[in-house]
Amino acid sequence: MFQEVSNGNADVLLEDYPVIAYAIAESELALKTVGDRLTGDQYGIAVLKGENAELLEQINAGLQELRDSGEYDEILNKYIAE
């Protein structure tokens, strides 16, 4: 998608903000976001309900550790900061 816009084969593309922000930051494509950023985005990690309790505990513990250490905010700022 990104290359098609850059090549002039498409006028726009629509993508989740973290994905597009990262692509723009890491690529040499001359792209930019326009308009207001939609808010209220919800992201998650899917685990089959009633299954993989140990995995779910590890995911939650890892996320909490990232939040408590401040690393979570560092990641957000690095990859999806405006």
Side-chain angles (χ1 to χ4, degrees):
M1 291 186 302
F2 306 107
Q3 193 65 52
E4 288 299 296
V5 173
S6 186
N7 289 343
N9 296 324
D11 294 325
V12 299
L13 68 97
L14 182 64
E15 181 62 270
D16 289 338
Y17 184 79
V19 175
I20 191 99
Y22 179 78
I24 289 171
E26 296 297 315
S27 74
E28 295 181 15
L29 301 174
L31 300 176
K32 65 179 181 176
T33 59
V34 297
D36 294 331
R37 177 179 172 193
L38 301 177
T39 58
D41 302 8
Q42 298 285 324
Y43 297 94
I45 300 170
V47 177
L48 187 61
K49 188 174 184 175
E51 301 289 329
N52 299 318
E54 183 179 351
L55 175 61
L56 181 58
E57 288 176 22
Q58 291 173 339
I59 290 170
N60 287 334
L63 287 171
Q64 191 61 55
E65 184 178 323
L66 287 172
R67 288 186 181 114
D68 291 346
S69 71
E71 190 173 353
Y72 183 82
D73 290 327
E74 290 174 18
I75 292 169
L76 290 179
N77 290 333
K78 180 176 180 179
Y79 293 104
I80 63 172
E82 292 186 44

